[in-house]
Structures are given as structure tokens and as C-alpha cells.
Amino acid sequence: MKTLLGLKTKELEQIALSLGLDAYRGRQLAQWMYRKRVTSFEAMTDLGKDTRERLLQTYAINPLKEKRVHQHQDGTAKYLFELEDGECIETVKIPHGDWETICVSTQLGCPIGCTFCASGLDYGRNLTAAEIIGQVLLSRGDTSTNVVFMGIGEPFLNRKELFRSLKILNGEVGIGARHLTVSTIGIVEGIENLAHLGMEVNLGISLHAPQDELRRRLIKTHLSRLRDILKAADLYFQKTGRRISFEYVMLSGVNDLLKHATHLGRLLKSFDFKCHVNLIPYNETDSGYSSSSPARIRAFQQCLEELGINVTVRQERGKGIQAACGQLRRQHLEGKIPS
Ligand code: SF4
């Protein structure tokens, strides 16, 4: 079966024509899939029985099946979706007031190998645009939605499907570019490509260390020099005017000392971009790292602020539902979650 999700309206019109239907049937398909979020042809009531049957013979809509949802009392929900090949991926939804943020995966496992992450180096393949968009459509509620490409995988190692997903989420699903965020470990070429895509999406860069040497200890592969990453961030800011977010996971005794904060602040100040640092309390796994104490995080934040950097500390959400990146999927792989 071929999947229709991940196709733009123009491409759906071509499919309609190839089946001997009028082109406007393609536009109807797009409306049903992306705006009304239906998951079966039977629900497309204005298509006519014949048309629906013809579509059903060759095409499917969403390649994802919901396998598990873990709901936390703070409202955070973690989804485990099964793909057509039987593999599983994770999606997290975090509600906040009239908004929700959906954190999508872009790869099956992740080839980057951050030493503090449950997904590191457990890599299978890239996800298709249909599998990425499907996560949003199946987990979305009725509130306004932000989508962050911050789940399992490095989005810029799956650039073609990432860019297609961004275009469809924006143009077809109707999520504003400023409500889409791509988060990367710092793939320079990917940042440059995104700068030229012509969409003002938000860019997040996971720094985790203010010096190359320490960064090499934390992140095993696909490493670029910090200066090159920040130069690419500067290009992104010049092209889009969007403030850059830098993510920094706080690991006790590893990267959370005042000397690290001072280095980081001075490094960021040496560029022209507007930026913001997001300190992330570590969600402990069995990686051997532990989270910095609240007092250490506050001191780190204060040091950066004194150097003139905007800083926030990410609120911890979803504790107790394996909310650290890749934990739910890992438990599934280890057979700790019954099918
Ligand atoms: S933290 Fe992100 S980039 Fe690093 S291994 Fe985990 S999923 Fe990959």
C-alpha cells in the first residue's frame, strides 16, 4: 500500500487524475487528511463510494498505529506508535494553557550517540515525512499546536523528509512557521540549508558544553567545531531574524560549573545573533550521569544572566512516564512493555 500522508495538495491532485478522477478530489483528500485529521477513506463522506473504493485498493492514509499512551498527572502524554514494518517510535505531547507542544521523532533510534541519552547509537533508519506528520496528526488535540523536532533522532540527518514535513505542517496542516522548531546537535550544513529554505521556523541547537573538548566527551559522532556551528547559527539569524535557542543539559559535576557558564556566556556574546539559553535538568537514565542540583542550576543561570544572556530553566514534565528521550522506546525494545 502507498501512503498518501506526506503528499502536498498538488501531488494529491495528480493521484486523483491518475485514478481517472477530477483533480479537485485531490484537494478534498488534503482537506480530510490534514485539516479534519480523518484516518480512513470511509470517513471521507463527500468522496462517493466508488471513489473511496478505488483509493482503498492502492492507498493508505496514516502509516502509524497507536500502541501505547502513557499519561502523566501533569497532563504530559507519551505516545508509542507502531510503524508498518513493526518498529516503534515515540512522540510526547505537553499541554500548557490554550496551547500544546508536540515533540516528534525524526529517526528510528539515533545515530548521534550522546553518552547521556537512552536513544544514543541505537539507530535503525530515517522516518518518512508520512511517519513524521502522522505523529502530529494522531497526537494533536483541539488546542493550538507547536511542533518541535526534538524527539529521537537528528533532524538534519534526515533533511529531505524533514523539509517536506515542515512544508506540509505549515502549508497543509496550517501550523504557523513560528510554531515549528527544529532542534539539532549542530549539523552545520543542515543549519545552512534551513536558512535558505525560506521558512522562518525556530532553530534550537543542543550545545551541552562550551568547549569542543568537553563536547567530544558528551557527543560521540557528527561533531562539528563549536565556532562553525555558531557561525551557521549567525547565518540563520541574519536570514530569518529568528532568535536562536541553545539547549544545555545540566549534568552534575560534568558541565555545570561556573567556569563552564562563564565560557558559554562569553562564547555566545562574541556573535551578533539574538539568543536564548535553555538549561535542561537531566532526566536520569541508567547512563551514569546525574542531574545538577537546583542550587547549581540557579548559580549557572545567574552567571549567564550577569553576562547578558537570556536564560530559562526547562520545567520538568512527565516524570514517571519515562519522559527522557528514548526511554519508552527502549523499554519496548527490551520487552518491558507488553505488546
Ligand atoms: S540526545 Fe538527541 S541527538 Fe543525542 S543521542 Fe539522544 S536523540 Fe540523538
Side-chain angles (χ1 to χ4, degrees):
M1 282 285 171
K2 294 178 194 154
T3 302
L4 293 183
L5 212 62
L7 298 179
K8 298 174 188 164
T9 297
K10 283 268 167 263
E11 294 162 326
L12 291 167
E13 286 175 357
Q14 288 307 315
I15 294 221
L17 291 172
S18 74
L19 292 172
L21 303 167
D22 289 330
Y24 79 90
R25 295 292 187 195
R27 296 196 285 282
Q28 286 178 312
L29 275 171
Q31 281 289 321
W32 281 111
M33 289 194 311
Y34 295 126
R35 301 287 173 151
K36 298 179 188 162
R37 287 183 276 145
V38 307
T39 52
S40 73
F41 293 117
E42 293 85 78
M44 300 180 177
T45 47
D46 58 1
L47 283 188
K49 199 160 178 273
D50 263 16
T51 306
R52 296 201 304 259
E53 269 165 16
R54 237 181 294 172
L55 285 163
L56 203 54
Q57 279 164 17
T58 322
Y59 296 103
I61 300 177
N62 197 322
L64 267 52
K65 215 165 65 193
E66 187 180 297
K67 195 171 169 75
R68 281 279 176 284
V69 189
H70 285 212
Q71 191 86 41
H72 190 262
Q73 57 197 21
D74 68 11
T76 305
K78 189 147 191 169
Y79 297 81
L80 189 69
F81 290 119
E82 185 172 356
L83 308 177
E84 278 173 334
D85 56 10
E87 296 285 357
C88 283
I89 53 170
E90 287 181 18
T91 308
V92 177
K93 181 167 78 174
I94 304 162
H96 36 97
D98 293 340
W99 284 83
E100 63 187 13
T101 295
I102 298 175
C103 177
V104 295
S105 297
T106 50
Q107 296 183 300
L108 190 59
C110 183
I112 299 294
C114 298
T115 51
F116 51 83
C117 174
S119 311
L121 289 180
D122 167 28
Y123 174 65
R125 64 173 173 83
N126 280 333
L127 298 185
T128 63
E131 290 165 338
I132 295 171
I133 296 159
Q135 295 172 63
V136 177
L137 297 180
L138 287 184
S139 60
R140 196 174 182 190
D142 292 325
T143 53
S144 307
T145 305
N146 293 304
V147 177
V148 295
F149 290 75
M150 218 179 255
I152 298 175
E154 163 52 53
F156 286 138
L157 293 181
N158 186 11
R159 239 167 289 171
K160 189 166 152 252
E161 301 299 304
L162 166 71
F163 292 164
R164 174 172 275 272
S165 304
L166 288 173
K167 294 272 182 199
I168 288 175
L169 288 172
N170 180 232
E172 307 282 352
V173 181
I175 298 174
R178 290 171 176 227
H179 297 291
L180 300 169
T181 300
V182 178
S183 178
T184 175
I185 204 72
I187 306 284
V188 170
E189 209 188 334
I191 298 172
E192 291 168 352
N193 291 161
L194 188 68
H196 293 106
L197 194 65
M199 290 180 77
E200 291 180 4
V201 302
N202 302 305
L203 175 66
I205 299 178
S206 298
L207 283 187
H208 306 323
Q211 291 143 314
D212 286 315
E213 196 196 337
L214 177 55
R215 217 166 172 259
R216 263 195 299 278
R217 273 171 44 207
L218 299 178
I219 304 166
K220 292 291 177 202
T221 62
H222 296 281
L223 268 182
S224 300
R225 286 186 335 140
L226 274 168
R227 283 245 150 228
D228 295 335
I229 295 172
L230 296 178
K231 262 193 235 160
D234 207 31
L235 169 78
Y236 194 77
F237 176 73
Q238 301 309 331
K239 284 269 177 204
T240 63
R242 302 299 290 154
R243 185 179 75 163
I244 313 292
S245 287
F246 292 104
E247 315 290 330
Y248 196 100
V249 67
M250 297 295 288
L251 303 169
S252 180
V254 177
N255 64 353
D256 65 346
L257 307 179
L258 288 183
K259 66 175 184 186
H260 298 125
T262 309
H263 252 106
L264 179 63
R266 289 190 183 144
L267 181 64
L268 297 180
K269 274 292 176 192
S270 67
F271 286 84
D272 291 333
F273 47 61
K274 273 198 198 146
C275 74
H276 166 265
V277 172
N278 196 13
L279 301 178
I280 307 170
Y282 183 54
N283 218 347
E284 287 176 22
T285 63
D286 52 9
S287 63
Y289 293 103
S290 51
S291 181
S292 308
S293 67
R296 188 68 76 76
I297 296 175
R298 259 195 315 278
F300 198 95
Q301 176 178 18
Q302 205 175 353
C303 179
L304 282 172
E305 282 170 349
E306 280 164 11
L307 289 165
I309 306 283
N310 275 311
V311 193
T312 48
V313 179
R314 185 182 291 173
Q315 224 189 327
E316 290 180 87
R317 301 286 297 264
K319 271 210 159 179
I321 57 162
Q322 293 80 39
C325 187
Q327 277 178 304
L328 188 63
R329 177 171 177 270
R330 178 158 294 262
Q331 288 206 344
H332 169 73
L333 290 175
E334 289 169 355
K336 292 180 188 162
I337 296 176
S339 312

